[in-house]
Amino acid sequence: MGSKLSIMLLTLAALTTAAQAQDKDKTSDIIARGEYLARAGDCTACHTAPEGRLFAGGRAMPTPFGTLYTSNITPDPDTGIGKWSADDFYKTMHSGRFPDGGLIYPAMPFASYTKVTRADSDAIFAYLRSIPPVNQKNKPHDLRFPYDNRQLILGWRTLFFREGEFKPDPTKSAEWNRGAYLVEGLGHCSMCHSPINALGGTAQSDAFKGGLIPMQNWYAPSLTSNREAGLGDWSIKDITDLLQTGVSARGVVYGPMAEVVHNSLQYLSDEDTRAMAVYLKGISEPSPPPPASSTLPTTESSLLISLGKTVYDKNCASCHGLQGEGKPPHWPPLANNQSIEMQSAVNPIRMVLNGGYPPGTKGNPMPYGMPPFAGLLSDNEVAAVVSYIRTAWGNRGTPVSAREANELRSAPLN
Amino acid sequence: MVRFLEGDGVFARYLALAVAIATLAAFDDAAAQTPNQPPDTMAARVEACTPCHGNRGEGTSDVYFPRLAGKPAGYLYNQLLAFRSGRRKYPPMNYLLEFLPDPYLEAMAEYFASEHPPLPPSAPSEVSKDVLAHGELLATSGDAGRNIPACVSCHGPGLTGMQPGIPGLLGLRANYISAQLGAWRYGTRTAKSPDCMQLVAGHLTEADVTAVAAWLATRPAPANPAPVPKGTYALPFGCGSQPN
């Protein structure tokens, strides 16, 4: 009898250990999934300060209304979100509200995160609970009157915020829907790739239509128009290369998009990257013919363009090729490169002034770079070379003026 | 070999890297011929740096753009980390480095450290003999009364620096040296804690800075400009950039 009991007890003990081990496996699976999803949401870009502790916040976000400081989202009970429940966290992600109902500034991209499922929100929360707590008080925001009044967020919400989880489109493939979920939700791509209006909002109908990012002076192109960054005529491989490694046979990422690839997209699985590519290719729409809208008189343009060829052959052709063919993917082609032909010439002007490196990624750990020409070329030469690359080799951009080049010399570099 | 590696973690890392680079270099010729690809070399990868620092890191005519060639790799790496995080500020470089990973920055540091173009001829100085004499005194003997250690006590008797973290002070121009000392005095340049250079610069007056920068810039190139090996001499006090 006694021995039976002890065997039973032993078996029970063995079973509980097994169950506990299974639970533990399950928890660590959830935490790992949460970490992956936090990457997909690029939480670190905003919630980790340079040389700061992971997710301890305190990063300054300059906006047209003043400076916001991001929050500590480590599980510290006093200064972080250690006392939050999974419900509280979901409320922030889904509804843009603090646990007490207070309104969160839309600089936290809840307008996109609202599409995230409850299960994914819980996984991110489980992951955030598992990281080391950091005791660091949030820095108060430094916003100008009247923007320091959170009630104003109500107006923004009425205009621009549609609360609700992602609804799959049953007419589309599972892959397309997975891509849509990532791009519209955690990826918060529309936060930059939309025209930003005076209130700092994104109108739903304009989502993915492109816009100038305030304060940073980079243009985030439309992801729907093939005249901008619409990817309709890109191969799936070129798109996945671009998103995963930062370089591709068609073009490279730079500026704020380099940040997105560096901190977030390079970590996504092959399947998820492919799903995003399928979706992005799918949403591109044929565009109306380009409005002919150079503001420069014809004689001035043709002078600029012939000076531009001289500047180009001397300074640029060694990497980008005499015919703009480049040596892709490392030295991007400039012929038939949408990213320099767009209506807005902000990006190519800034590339010439500031140069750049694509992000170092697992797929491209030692990228090649482009030198800054701000100190080497005059405003007129910058305008000339940009006018040249926008119109040579069949490119369909328009010339730019020396004044436009001059204005971008003072654009912030970080 | 193994004992050698165990002895010094940092050195081992550079050694491993050097081996990797040497192996890479062996393939360079073949790679360089791949049609339509840029040469698979560090030289091609740092072309973004060379308009300001020179093709081999020898510096350019701009007096504020420093020479990089031959400085200790550990020192250069520390600077690249500081520029990437924005702790050391120069916006064009902060921007270029922002999304480059540590091993790549190490490879860049190693590349410029292993280049040895000749030092530039020393410039004739515009300051008076008295000022130069004051500069020489500070550099070689310091001023104990004002808590200023001799620069040579850390930067080496030949001012050529010490592996892995202390740079030589030759081949730099007076404007650059005084800008850097000024940056430490005003807190816009900081190094790993304890930041010994901050302590040193904090005790210097404007006049000291002018004098020591001018004197350093007049020094002729030494026969052997290479930084001396780690541990050749003891520092007067600890520096975070120079691990014991």
Side-chain angles (χ1 to χ4, degrees), chain B residues 44 48 50 66-67 70 72-73 102 107 113 135 138 141 160 167 176 191 195 198 200 203 205 211 218 227-228 234-235:
Chain B
T50 51
R67 173 186 178 89
D102 294 358
L138 284 176
S141 318
T160 57
Y176 175 76
D195 185 355
Q198 205 269 320
V200 174
H203 291 128
T205 64
T218 59
V228 299
L235 307 184

Side-chain angles (χ1 to χ4, degrees), chain A residues 211-236:
Chain A
L212 192 71
I213 307 176
M215 308 310 284
Q216 301 190 4
N217 261 316
W218 284 102
Y219 181 80
S222 159
L223 292 177
T224 54
S225 160
N226 286 341
R227 289 209 60 237
E228 299 205 342
L231 303 170
D233 65 355
W234 285 45
S235 73
I236 292 291

Side-chain angles (χ1 to χ4, degrees), chain A residues 145-158:
Chain A
F145 175 81
Y147 305 106
D148 52 353
N149 178 356
R150 285 190 184 258
Q151 286 313 307
L152 282 188
I153 302 173
L154 270 180
W156 181 90
R157 292 172 66 108
T158 320

